[in-house]
Amino acid sequence: MDNAYVIRILLAEDQAVIRGALAALLGLEPDIEVVAAVESGAAAVASAAVELPDVAVLDIDMPGELDGLEAAARIHARVPTCRTLMLTGHAKPAHLKRALAAQVGGFMLKTAPPEDVAGAIRDVAAGKRVLDPSLAVTAWDLADNPLTPREADVLRLVADGLDAPDIAGRLHLTPGTVRNYLTAIVAKLNARNRTDAVRLATEAGWI
């Protein structure tokens, strides 16, 4: 096949076994070439600047400073012609909402058959937007995050085991202000208590 028709992809996945298997399977497609397979968001951004891929296939949950969505934003800033396809093992509603808001090219589950992932890559490369069929209903029924950025910061620190005085010191607030935030958070999430609020927000992908 003429190289002009080959889609050059960058693959970023922190699990080596999955990364290797996906690279091998996609490499079997006659019109797809894996030009880089890396293990982190930071590596994906660096590789994209060098390889200039047509599509970056990114795991949404990667360790380190950059998750897949942040890496996608930075790749787009550096290589505007590169489109992005997000992969995830478990689609949290908030992740899907962020992906849709960020105008990524597609969002697929890792459990999708390889031929479906390859098809999604072709569609994304062609400028189409792709959503895994099993996520279609979720995409139409996403609940908005009711937490303000500051409330989310407070709740993350609660999740880390900090109490109100410690959170106040960390965020340069008064303990009373922190307690007011926590009261508002519990009410907004219709939670039983702070612990329940952490659980609900974590499950929704809001913190």
Side-chain angles (χ1 to χ4, degrees):
M1 180 176 291
D2 191 319
N3 286 339
Y5 295 96
V6 173
I7 303 168
R8 304 174 74 256
I9 72 164
L10 161 68
L11 176 63
E13 159 64 56
D14 62 294
Q15 298 184 43
V17 172
I18 296 177
R19 184 172 67 250
L22 192 54
L25 289 169
L26 291 175
L28 296 176
E29 300 291 332
D31 58 340
I32 293 176
E33 177 188 3
V34 180
V35 297
V38 299
E39 75 288 348
S40 69
V45 174
S47 293
V50 174
E51 299 293 345
L52 305 178
D54 300 306
V55 178
V57 181
L58 309 171
D59 179 12
I60 202 168
D61 292 307
M62 288 186 286
E65 176 187 351
L66 306 181
D67 67 6
L69 286 171
E70 181 61 29
R74 296 195 185 190
I75 288 171
H76 180 70
R78 291 193 181 190
V79 190
T81 57
C82 180
R83 302 183 184 277
T84 49
L85 174 66
M86 311 307 301
L87 296 180
T88 184
H90 46 85
K92 295 179 181 178
H95 279 175
L96 180 53
K97 191 175 185 67
R98 281 178 63 202
L100 294 174
Q103 300 293 303
V104 302
F107 198 99
M108 296 287 291
L109 291 175
K110 291 182 184 178
T111 53
E115 59 269 23
D116 288 356
V117 176
I121 289 171
R122 294 184 183 100
D123 285 343
V124 168
K128 300 177 183 178
R129 298 193 72 186
V130 179
L131 182 64
D132 192 295
S134 65
L135 301 175
V137 174
T138 303
W140 285 106
D141 193 32
L142 289 175
D144 288 327
N145 182 354
L147 303 178
T148 66
R150 178 59 85 184
E151 287 170 346
D153 289 341
V154 169
L155 198 56
R156 287 189 193 96
L157 293 177
V158 172
D160 289 340
L162 277 65
D163 58 18
D166 292 331
I167 294 172
R170 185 76 65 87
L171 298 180
H172 307 293
L173 302 169
T174 67
T177 299
V178 171
R179 283 189 284 270
N180 289 339
Y181 275 126
L182 290 171
T183 298
I185 290 167
V186 169
K188 283 184 176 182
L189 300 184
N190 196 27
R192 294 187 298 273
N193 50 43
R194 297 174 188 180
T195 302
D196 193 38
V198 168
R199 178 185 64 80
L200 291 169
T202 300
E203 289 178 354
W206 295 329
I207 63 171

